[in-house]
Amino acid sequence: MRKCLIIFISHCLISLASCSSTPSEQQAAESAKAYFDFLLEDDAVRFLEYKAGVDSLSADYGEQLLEAVRQYQRDIQQKHGGLREVRIADDQSTFNVSQQSTLILCYNDSTQEAVTVPMVERDGQWLMK
């Protein structure tokens, strides 16, 4: 009986350890939040600065991408009255498998939306894919 109890407690501890965020997961989630906070500040240009590979895009494609972010901001304003807050979701379990951070977008109309942000580490900095 004692052996079964020890095995059960070991499995519980392993399960708890696998659910907690590692420092890199937390850094990626905090970076994603910081980048989405730029949308709160109505700063689409700064938001795009932290997209991996954006510096190697052609000028035309970069402008199209910037316009797409601005349209996204207009859609949020029109549908939800704007973005009120960006939070890091409590559960970051998808990060281990696919390096994705989950954020909660809180809108002015009191609705919320969970978004998954694919992240990649480049030279010690987390960027959005």
Side-chain angles (χ1 to χ4, degrees):
M1 180 68 173
R2 180 182 161 128
K3 186 176 182 179
C4 289
L5 182 60
I6 291 172
I7 291 172
F8 175 74
I9 290 172
S10 297
H11 284 299
C12 289
L13 291 174
I14 290 170
S15 295
L16 284 174
S18 67
C19 291
S20 62
S21 295
T22 65
S24 63
E25 292 172 21
Q26 188 62 32
Q27 289 172 345
E30 288 172 3
S31 295
K33 181 196 177 310
Y35 307 151
F36 271 76
D37 281 343
F38 291 131
L39 296 179
L40 277 170
E41 300 167 12
D42 198 30
D43 196 344
V45 173
R46 293 229 23 230
F47 175 79
L48 280 179
E49 285 177 13
Y50 297 97
K51 177 147 178 57
V54 77
D55 54 345
S56 62
L57 299 176
S58 70
D60 287 343
Y61 187 69
E63 280 300 316
Q64 291 174 12
L65 195 55
L66 180 59
E67 182 52 38
V69 172
R70 289 182 175 148
Q71 182 60 50
Y72 176 62
Q73 290 177 297
R74 287 190 293 269
D75 289 347
I76 289 172
Q77 184 64 38
Q78 182 182 24
K79 293 177 183 175
H80 302 287
L83 185 60
R84 179 178 40 89
E85 178 187 14
V86 178
R87 292 184 306 191
I88 298 171
D90 292 334
D91 180 18
Q92 294 293 324
S93 60
T94 59
F95 187 88
N96 292 330
V97 177
S98 55
Q99 295 183 322
Q100 298 177 342
S101 295
T102 304
L103 302 175
I104 306 296
L105 304 183
C106 304
Y107 299 113
N108 285 328
D109 65 359
S110 76
T111 59
Q112 297 180 357
E113 177 181 17
V115 295
T116 302
V117 184
M119 301 295 286
V120 62
E121 188 176 16
R122 298 270 162 81
D123 301 322
Q125 182 179 21
W126 286 99
L127 301 172
M128 297 178 288
K129 281 188 180 178

